[in-house]
């Protein structure tokens, strides 16, 4: 089955997980994605099973990054101002830091470049 890009995410599963992390209910996610609530649940269950099967989180190979709920919660206000979900803001921040070669400046942890 081919992946279905949704709301700027590579797959519907990533969109579902991001919206759930943003505090949306199953019904809200279903309505936003134009799918049935049971499909939302199935995508979540499938994702959780896949994550549990992984012994090494790095095996996700850039397809999914989970952020702690407290971090996403702290990002809600800034994300809302920009009309996006906290997960989308996190991706945008990381993209700007990485592509702008700003990791050392942001961390300021005295790691030799």
């Amino acid at each position: 089955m081919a992946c279905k890009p949704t709301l700027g995410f590579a797959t519907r599963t990533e969109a579902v997980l991001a919206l759930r992390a943003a505090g949306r209910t199953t019904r809200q996610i279903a309505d936003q994605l134009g799918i049935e609530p049971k499909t939302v649940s199935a995508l979540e269950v499938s994702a959780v099973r896949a994550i549990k099967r992984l012994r090494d989180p790095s095996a996700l190979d850039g397809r999914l990054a989970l952020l702690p709920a407290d971090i996403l919660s702290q990002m809600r206000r800034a994300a809302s101002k920009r009309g996006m979900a906290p997960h989308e803001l996190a991706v945008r921040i990381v993209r700007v830091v990485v592509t702008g070669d700003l990791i050392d400046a942001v961390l300021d942890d005295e790691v030799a470049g």
Side-chain angles (χ1 to χ4, degrees):
M1 177 183 231
C3 293
K4 295 183 179 182
T6 306
L7 300 178
F9 295 94
T11 66
R12 290 188 309 176
T13 300
E14 287 183 25
V16 165
L17 295 175
L19 292 170
R20 178 69 77 203
R24 305 282 195 320
T25 65
T26 299
R27 169 53 68 189
Q28 289 170 329
I29 295 169
D31 289 346
Q32 190 166 356
L33 300 181
I35 59 178
E36 294 293 322
K38 66 182 181 181
T39 304
V40 171
S41 298
L43 290 168
E44 283 184 300
V45 168
S46 178
V48 168
R49 284 183 185 152
I51 290 169
K52 285 181 179 178
R53 280 194 303 263
L54 294 173
R55 295 181 187 189
D56 178 11
S58 67
L60 290 170
D61 193 28
R63 291 176 284 153
L64 176 67
L66 300 177
L67 296 174
D70 64 314
I71 297 295
L72 288 172
S73 178
Q74 291 174 30
M75 296 178 76
R76 280 179 210 233
R77 195 165 131 220
S80 179
K81 283 183 185 179
R82 290 161 177 81
M84 60 179 62
H87 180 273
E88 293 170 296
L89 179 59
V91 170
R92 186 172 175 189
I93 290 168
V94 171
R95 183 173 285 123
V96 167
V97 169
V98 171
T99 59
D101 196 24
L102 300 170
I103 294 172
D104 291 332
V106 170
L107 291 181
D108 191 29
D109 57 2
E110 299 181 23
V111 173

